[in-house]
CSV table of all heavy atoms in Angstrom, one decimal:
chain,number,residue,atom,x,y,z
F,79,TRP,N,8.5,-11.5,-13.0
F,79,TRP,CA,9.4,-11.4,-14.2
F,79,TRP,C,10.5,-12.4,-14.1
F,79,TRP,O,10.9,-13.0,-15.0
F,79,TRP,CB,9.9,-10.0,-14.4
F,79,TRP,CG,11.0,-9.9,-15.4
F,79,TRP,CD1,10.8,-9.8,-16.7
F,79,TRP,CD2,12.4,-9.9,-15.1
F,79,TRP,NE1,12.0,-9.8,-17.3
F,79,TRP,CE2,13.0,-9.8,-16.4
F,79,TRP,CE3,13.2,-9.9,-14.0
F,79,TRP,CZ2,14.4,-9.8,-16.5
F,79,TRP,CZ3,14.5,-9.8,-14.1
F,79,TRP,CH2,15.2,-9.8,-15.4
F,82,ILE,N,9.8,-16.0,-15.1
F,82,ILE,CA,9.5,-16.4,-16.5
F,82,ILE,C,10.5,-15.8,-17.5
F,82,ILE,O,10.3,-15.9,-18.7
F,82,ILE,CB,8.1,-15.9,-16.9
F,82,ILE,CG1,8.0,-14.4,-16.9
F,82,ILE,CG2,7.0,-16.6,-16.1
F,82,ILE,CD1,6.8,-13.9,-17.6
F,83,VAL,N,11.6,-15.2,-17.0
F,83,VAL,CA,12.5,-14.6,-17.9
F,83,VAL,C,13.2,-15.6,-18.9
F,83,VAL,O,13.4,-15.2,-20.0
F,83,VAL,CB,13.6,-13.8,-17.1
F,83,VAL,CG1,14.5,-14.7,-16.3
F,83,VAL,CG2,14.4,-12.9,-18.0
F,84,GLN,N,13.4,-16.8,-18.5
F,84,GLN,CA,14.0,-17.8,-19.3
F,84,GLN,C,13.1,-18.1,-20.5
F,84,GLN,O,13.5,-18.3,-21.6
F,84,GLN,CB,14.2,-19.1,-18.5
F,84,GLN,CG,15.1,-20.1,-19.2
F,84,GLN,CD,16.6,-19.6,-19.2
F,84,GLN,OE1,17.0,-18.7,-18.4
F,84,GLN,NE2,17.4,-20.1,-20.2
F,85,GLU,N,11.8,-18.1,-20.3
F,85,GLU,CA,10.8,-18.5,-21.3
F,85,GLU,C,10.6,-17.4,-22.3
F,85,GLU,O,10.3,-17.6,-23.5
F,85,GLU,CB,9.5,-18.9,-20.7
F,85,GLU,CG,9.6,-20.1,-19.8
F,85,GLU,CD,8.3,-20.2,-18.9
F,85,GLU,OE1,7.4,-19.5,-19.2
F,85,GLU,OE2,8.4,-21.1,-18.0
F,86,MET,N,10.6,-16.1,-21.8
F,86,MET,CA,10.2,-15.0,-22.7
F,86,MET,C,11.4,-14.5,-23.5
F,86,MET,O,11.2,-13.8,-24.6
F,86,MET,CB,9.7,-13.9,-21.8
F,86,MET,CG,8.5,-14.3,-21.1
F,86,MET,SD,7.0,-13.4,-21.2
F,86,MET,CE,7.2,-12.0,-22.2
F,87,GLY,N,12.6,-14.6,-23.1
F,87,GLY,CA,13.7,-14.2,-23.9
F,87,GLY,C,14.0,-12.7,-23.9
F,87,GLY,O,13.9,-12.1,-22.8
F,88,MET,N,14.3,-12.2,-25.0
F,88,MET,CA,14.7,-10.8,-25.1
F,88,MET,C,13.6,-9.8,-24.9
F,88,MET,O,13.8,-8.7,-24.4
F,88,MET,CB,15.3,-10.5,-26.5
F,88,MET,CG,16.7,-11.2,-26.7
F,88,MET,SD,17.9,-10.7,-25.5
F,88,MET,CE,18.3,-9.1,-26.0
F,89,ASN,N,12.3,-10.2,-25.2
F,89,ASN,CA,11.2,-9.4,-24.9
F,89,ASN,C,11.1,-9.1,-23.4
F,89,ASN,O,10.8,-7.9,-23.0
F,89,ASN,CB,9.9,-10.0,-25.4
F,89,ASN,CG,9.8,-10.0,-26.9
F,89,ASN,OD1,10.4,-9.2,-27.6
F,89,ASN,ND2,9.0,-10.9,-27.4
F,90,ALA,N,11.3,-10.0,-22.6
F,90,ALA,CA,11.2,-9.8,-21.1
F,90,ALA,C,12.4,-8.9,-20.7
F,90,ALA,O,12.2,-8.1,-19.8
F,90,ALA,CB,11.3,-11.1,-20.4
F,91,LEU,N,13.5,-9.1,-21.3
F,91,LEU,CA,14.7,-8.2,-20.9
F,91,LEU,C,14.4,-6.8,-21.3
F,91,LEU,O,14.7,-5.9,-20.5
F,91,LEU,CB,15.9,-8.8,-21.6
F,91,LEU,CG,17.2,-8.0,-21.3
F,91,LEU,CD1,17.6,-8.1,-19.8
F,91,LEU,CD2,18.4,-8.4,-22.2
F,92,PHE,N,13.9,-6.5,-22.5
F,92,PHE,CA,13.6,-5.1,-22.9
F,92,PHE,C,12.5,-4.6,-22.0
F,92,PHE,O,12.5,-3.4,-21.6
F,92,PHE,CB,13.2,-5.1,-24.3
F,92,PHE,CG,14.4,-5.3,-25.2
F,92,PHE,CD1,14.3,-6.2,-26.3
F,92,PHE,CD2,15.6,-4.7,-25.0
F,92,PHE,CE1,15.3,-6.4,-27.2
F,92,PHE,CE2,16.7,-4.9,-25.9
F,92,PHE,CZ,16.6,-5.8,-26.9
F,93,GLY,N,11.5,-5.4,-21.7
F,93,GLY,CA,10.4,-4.9,-20.9
F,93,GLY,C,10.8,-4.5,-19.5
F,93,GLY,O,10.4,-3.5,-18.9
F,94,ILE,N,11.6,-5.4,-18.8
F,94,ILE,CA,12.0,-5.1,-17.5
F,94,ILE,C,13.1,-4.0,-17.5
F,94,ILE,O,13.2,-3.2,-16.5
F,94,ILE,CB,12.6,-6.3,-16.8
F,94,ILE,CG1,12.4,-6.2,-15.3
F,94,ILE,CG2,14.0,-6.6,-17.1
F,94,ILE,CD1,11.1,-6.0,-14.7
F,95,SER,N,13.9,-3.8,-18.5
F,95,SER,CA,14.8,-2.7,-18.6
F,95,SER,C,14.1,-1.4,-18.7
F,95,SER,O,14.5,-0.4,-18.0
F,95,SER,CB,15.7,-2.9,-19.9
F,95,SER,OG,16.4,-4.0,-19.8
F,96,PHE,N,13.0,-1.3,-19.4
F,96,PHE,CA,12.2,-0.1,-19.5
F,96,PHE,C,11.5,0.2,-18.1
F,96,PHE,O,11.5,1.3,-17.7
F,96,PHE,CB,11.1,-0.3,-20.6
F,96,PHE,CG,10.2,1.0,-20.7
F,96,PHE,CD1,10.7,2.1,-21.2
F,96,PHE,CD2,8.9,0.9,-20.3
F,96,PHE,CE1,9.9,3.2,-21.4
F,96,PHE,CE2,8.1,2.0,-20.4
F,96,PHE,CZ,8.6,3.2,-20.9
Side-chain angles (χ1 to χ4, degrees):
W79 170 80
I82 63 164
V83 69
Q84 194 72 23
E85 300 165 7
M86 300 234 0
M88 292 302 285
N89 287 337
L91 181 64
F92 290 133
I94 204 64
S95 298
F96 181 72

